[in-house]
């Protein structure tokens, strides 16, 4: 029995949330969010979607759309192997233990037992300065080569977006090597790949020189972490990301999942004073940690009160790389992380680009007005710091939408207004996304013609309210890496 596609909320009653058994293993290299594909554009209302309990007979030749259940996992994994050549079975099963995962987060196009097209959405909470945004990730969107050109992936994406909105997500996020497929549906390239790479031996020389500044301090103990020290890692990460832009909020269950799925080879901690963790149940003596995979440092976090921890942890990772006869080492960290300077001093290369090996990050504003409303306290604080003259108004013309910001000494309010004020900005949806998330420099965007300001006041106001921020996503949180 089939029906016109209902809203995602109408499908919740049909969800099956039984989880498959978990096997843990090290994760493979990152899988792009999509494969290049060309699709015709057909209205979503024409798509039929079936209740997972009343699907056509398995020997039917008719493809159909269906919300996945736990029984589809084997077919889904086979599909991912056929389209993306990844992930291995144990890595795929490990993703099913994500504490936020439900089988119904996947929507499929099936014919009998075979999956023809697939999309998977994840639920997270994102740090954006002092704010927290509920977000949804898009993974594994693709279609078998012989079934492309039938709008399967287009319809799955649009259905997934409706699902995200009804679940309360404000942003959709993905990584892909085919941004052209997503642009017509309002997705914008947003976010940069940030990493530094240097030779292990030149870097050790720089670390030895840098260690001289800490000569009068007690040495730290660097060793592999222990399971009972999870609260210490959580504390350090929470303090480190309190005002970050782009990092995922990690609950205790989420932390346990990140560690259990073995996305890394080594996790080292820096201990202040004697190594007496058994006498310190709060793990207050842990002042830093480092997550290493092969020749990559996926995450390096140190307490601001103990800057030496970052250098000692990096030295440990570099020393281990030399022991394994690895000639280079790579650091993933936000653009403003001071450790990048050390790599530059070692004649290393620092990458800070939108595109890396053909892959980009993309974001979609699922509810632009609500995002603006939640940003109001941040905009007010920025106006205060810059001593922006108030009262003031700024309108934003974004394709067919019109938004009006009213700034006073006490607050910032946003509304939808059909008419523009004298001071206004005009841009397309992609540039608007990058503007709100701090991905662009306002003056550079105006000079390039991607952003138009009606007055000098509008330009100066936008520069104050929407500065560039170090928006960065830690690779440790990626689903398939």
């Amino acid at each position: 029995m089939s029906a016109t596609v209902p809203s995602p909320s109408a499908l919740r009653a049909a969800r099956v949330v039984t989880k498959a058994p978990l096997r843990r293993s090290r994760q493979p290299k990152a899988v792009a969010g999509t494969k290049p594909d060309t699709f015709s554009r057909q209205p979503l209302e024409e798509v039929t979607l079936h209740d997972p309990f009343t699907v056509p007979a398995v020997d039917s030749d008719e493809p159909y759309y269906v919300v996945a259940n736990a029984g589809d996992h084997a077919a889904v994994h086979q599909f991912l192997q056929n389209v993306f050549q990844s992930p291995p079975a144990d890595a795929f099963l490990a993703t099913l233990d994500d504490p936020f995962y439900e089988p119904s987060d996947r929507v499929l196009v099936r014919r009998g037992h075979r999956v023809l097209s697939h999309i998977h959405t994840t639920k997270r909470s994102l740090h954006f300065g002092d704010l927290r945004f509920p977000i949804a990730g898009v993974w594994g969107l693709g279609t078998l080569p012989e079934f492309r050109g039938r709008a399967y992936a287009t319809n799955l994406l649009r259905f997934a977006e409706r699902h995200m909105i009804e679940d309360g997500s404000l942003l959709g996020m993905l990584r892909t090597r085919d941004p052209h497929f997503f642009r017509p549906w309002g997705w914008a390239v947003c976010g940069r790949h940030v990493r530094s790479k240097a030779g292990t031996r030149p870097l050790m020389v720089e670390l030895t020189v840098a260690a001289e500044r800490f000569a009068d301090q007690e040495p730290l103990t660097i060793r592999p972490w222990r399971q009972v020290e999870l609260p210490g890692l959580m504390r350090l990460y929470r303090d480190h990301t309190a005002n970050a832009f782009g990092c995922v909020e990690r609950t205790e269950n989420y932390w346990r999942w990140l560690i259990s799925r073995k996305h890394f080879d080594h996790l080292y901690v820096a201990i202040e004073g004697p190594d007496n963790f058994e006498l310190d149940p709060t793990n207050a003596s842990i002042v830093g940690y480092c997550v290493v995979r092969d020749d990559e440092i996926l995450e390096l976090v140190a307490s601001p009160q103990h800057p030496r921890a970052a250098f000692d942890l990096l030295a440990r990772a570099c020393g281990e790389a030399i022991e394994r006869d690895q000639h280079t080492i790579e650091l993933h960290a936000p653009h403003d992380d001071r450790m990048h300077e050390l790599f530059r001093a070692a004649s290393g290369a620092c990458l800070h680009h939108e595109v890396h090996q053909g892959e980009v990050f993309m974001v979609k504003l699922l509810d632009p007005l609500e995002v603006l409303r939640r940003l109001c306290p941040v905009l007010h604080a920025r106006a205060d710091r810059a001593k922006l003259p108030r009262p003031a108004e700024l309108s934003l013309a974004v394709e067919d939408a019109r938004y009006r910001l009213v700034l006073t000494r006490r607050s910032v309010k946003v509304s939808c207004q059909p008419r523009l004020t004298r001071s206004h900005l005009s841009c397309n949806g992609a540039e608007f996304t990058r503007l709100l998330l701090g991905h662009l420099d306002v003056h550079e965007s105006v000079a390039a013609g991607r952003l138009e300001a009606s007055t000098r006041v509008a330009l100066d106001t936008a520069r104050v309210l929407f500065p560039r921020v170090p928006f960065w996503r830690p690779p440790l949180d990626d689903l398939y890496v």
Side-chain angles (χ1 to χ4, degrees):
M1 178 179 180
S2 64
T4 302
V5 175
S7 66
S9 61
L11 296 168
R12 289 192 178 98
R15 288 187 173 181
V16 180
V17 297
T18 305
K19 295 188 178 180
L22 171 68
R23 294 202 305 263
R24 297 177 174 85
S25 107
R26 177 180 161 189
Q27 292 285 25
K29 285 287 182 181
V31 175
T34 63
K35 286 284 184 178
D37 209 344
T38 303
F39 305 96
S40 61
R41 310 300 189 198
Q42 78 178 58
L44 187 62
E45 291 71 19
E46 294 180 9
V47 178
T48 58
L49 190 143
H50 298 259
D51 183 299
F53 301 107
T54 58
V55 298
V58 294
D59 58 350
S60 171
D61 289 333
E62 177 193 359
Y64 56 91
Y65 294 79
V66 63
V67 175
N69 58 47
D72 293 314
H73 285 150
V76 166
H77 178 246
Q78 184 62 53
F79 168 86
L80 295 174
Q81 284 284 316
N82 291 339
V83 176
F84 302 110
Q85 294 76 54
S86 184
D90 52 357
F92 172 75
L93 289 173
T95 66
L96 307 182
D97 208 36
D98 178 345
F100 305 108
Y101 175 74
E102 295 180 0
S104 54
D105 292 333
R106 302 179 191 270
V107 182
L108 316 173
V109 179
R110 275 180 29 186
R111 187 172 70 179
H113 287 303
R114 192 181 187 193
V115 175
L116 310 183
S117 191
H118 163 276
I119 192 170
H120 176 200
T121 59
T122 59
K123 297 178 281 289
R124 300 287 187 262
S125 179
L126 188 79
H127 289 266
F128 194 83
D130 294 333
L131 305 177
R132 303 293 180 269
F133 288 151
I135 67 166
V138 172
W139 297 91
L141 174 60
T143 303
L144 292 176
E146 62 268 34
F147 293 96
R148 292 175 184 171
R150 306 186 187 190
Y152 290 158
T154 297
N155 290 327
L156 290 182
L157 176 64
R158 295 176 67 195
F159 178 83
E161 289 176 4
R162 290 167 55 188
H163 186 172
M164 297 174 194
I165 292 170
E166 293 202 2
D167 271 354
S169 297
L170 296 181
L171 304 175
M173 304 186 74
L174 58 85
R175 51 192 297 176
T176 181
R177 287 186 171 89
D178 184 24
H180 303 294
F181 169 70
F182 293 94
R183 285 195 178 104
W185 309 111
W187 292 79
V189 173
C190 187
R192 291 177 173 83
H193 297 267
V194 186
R195 60 186 73 193
S196 288
K197 187 174 184 178
T200 50
R201 297 186 184 279
L203 187 58
M204 280 296 285
V205 172
E206 293 300 325
L207 285 166
T208 302
V209 173
E212 296 178 359
R213 75 183 72 170
F214 307 112
D216 59 340
Q217 299 180 15
E218 289 294 324
L220 301 174
T221 300
I222 309 297
R223 60 160 173 77
W225 86 295
R226 297 161 176 151
Q227 290 283 344
V228 296
E229 294 168 334
L230 181 60
L233 304 188
M234 294 174 59
R235 170 180 52 81
L236 283 169
Y237 180 82
R238 183 174 59 249
D239 294 344
H240 182 71
T241 60
N243 297 301
F245 295 86
C247 295
V248 171
E249 188 172 25
R250 297 176 182 170
T251 64
E252 180 176 350
N253 286 339
Y254 183 79
W255 258 109
R256 294 189 185 279
W257 173 69
L258 280 181
I259 291 171
S260 69
R261 69 185 184 132
K262 289 298 181 182
H263 174 81
F264 55 87
D265 298 324
H266 305 285
L267 201 167
Y268 300 111
V269 292
I271 307 294
E272 181 185 29
D275 186 7
N276 58 349
F277 76 98
E278 293 179 350
L279 304 178
D280 183 16
T282 64
N283 303 123
S285 61
I286 296 179
V287 296
Y289 71 85
C290 178
V291 184
V292 183
R293 182 192 60 194
D294 294 331
D295 60 349
E296 295 179 275
I297 299 174
L298 302 179
E299 197 161 293
L300 177 61
V301 174
S303 167
Q305 291 75 36
H306 299 83
R308 175 175 183 160
F311 291 87
D312 288 358
L313 286 164
L314 181 56
R316 174 63 180 265
C318 196
E320 293 285 349
I322 292 173
E323 288 293 325
R324 295 191 298 271
D325 198 30
Q326 292 173 339
H327 301 292
T328 61
I329 194 166
E330 194 167 312
L331 172 70
H332 297 259
H335 179 62
D336 57 354
D337 192 296
R338 65 182 184 277
M339 302 307 291
H340 290 299
E341 298 176 4
L342 203 63
F343 280 73
R344 293 189 186 96
S347 301
C350 298
L351 172 69
H352 184 220
H353 300 302
E354 289 183 345
V355 184
H356 178 64
Q357 297 178 350
E359 186 176 78
V360 297
F361 298 110
M362 301 193 80
V363 178
K364 180 171 182 175
L365 298 178
L366 301 173
D367 190 342
L369 182 59
E370 181 60 23
V371 171
L372 267 174
R373 285 172 175 162
R374 295 202 184 192
L375 281 174
C376 283
V378 175
L379 303 182
H380 184 257
R382 291 171 178 172
D384 279 346
R385 286 195 298 270
K387 296 180 170 52
L388 189 71
R390 283 163 287 177
E393 292 186 358
L394 178 67
S395 292
L396 302 168
V398 186
E399 298 175 354
D400 295 332
R402 301 288 185 270
Y403 306 101
R404 181 187 180 192
L405 296 172
V406 178
L407 299 88
T408 68
R409 292 290 179 184
R410 293 186 176 183
S411 66
V412 175
K413 295 182 179 180
V414 61
S415 61
C416 289
Q417 295 285 350
R419 298 181 61 183
L420 296 175
T421 59
R422 181 172 182 271
S423 295
H424 62 267
L425 297 180
S426 300
C427 61
N428 60 26
E431 206 70 2
F432 180 59
T433 300
R434 291 189 280 264
L435 178 72
L436 294 195
L437 298 182
H439 183 71
L440 57 80
D441 181 280
V442 171
H443 282 284
E444 291 179 1
S445 188
V446 169
R450 299 188 301 269
L451 192 68
E452 295 181 3
S454 63
T455 64
R456 179 70 185 186
V457 172
L459 179 61
D460 291 341
T461 302
R463 178 182 55 82
V464 168
L465 297 182
F466 304 106
R468 179 176 287 179
V469 300
F471 193 83
W472 179 75
R473 296 172 55 183
L476 189 61
D477 295 289
D478 282 344
L479 191 64
Y480 300 125
V481 178

